[in-house]
Amino acid sequence: MRKTYSTFQKFFHKPSFKPSTKPRPFKTYSFVPFSPLAMLDPTILTIGGIILGIAIIERILERGGVIDLVDQFGKIMRLILPVTFYSALIYFFATFMF
């Protein structure tokens, strides 16, 4: 067994280790990942296609002179459009992966 001789001052006054000044790489993640391609959900596209189809049919009937039927379509669409829009918006955010 080997004896080592050190004084109390040498033991407690060692120079501190210098931290490395080299920055360490780290990954960053976005809290809200958003891609415009996420809007291409088949359910959203189907609902949008149905609404667009009804609007085109309404325009064709208007040009054909069937104003009474167009008026009925307009009354129905006043209720259907907001309900459909908010339902699709809730569905989109409920199924969107955050």
Side-chain angles (χ1 to χ4, degrees), residues 38-71:
M39 296 274 197
L40 295 178
D41 184 36
T43 306
I44 301 293
L45 291 177
T46 303
I47 292 170
I50 291 170
I51 299 299
L52 186 63
I54 291 172
I56 290 172
I57 290 171
E58 185 180 358
R59 187 65 68 186
I60 291 171
L61 290 173
E62 184 182 355
R63 287 187 184 168
V66 190
I67 302 299
D68 294 334
L69 193 58
V70 172
D71 189 39

Side-chain angles (χ1 to χ4, degrees), residues 7-20:
T7 64
F8 182 77
Q9 289 177 347
K10 285 183 183 178
F11 182 75
F12 278 103
H13 292 292
K14 289 182 181 179
S16 64
F17 293 107
K18 292 182 181 177
S20 66

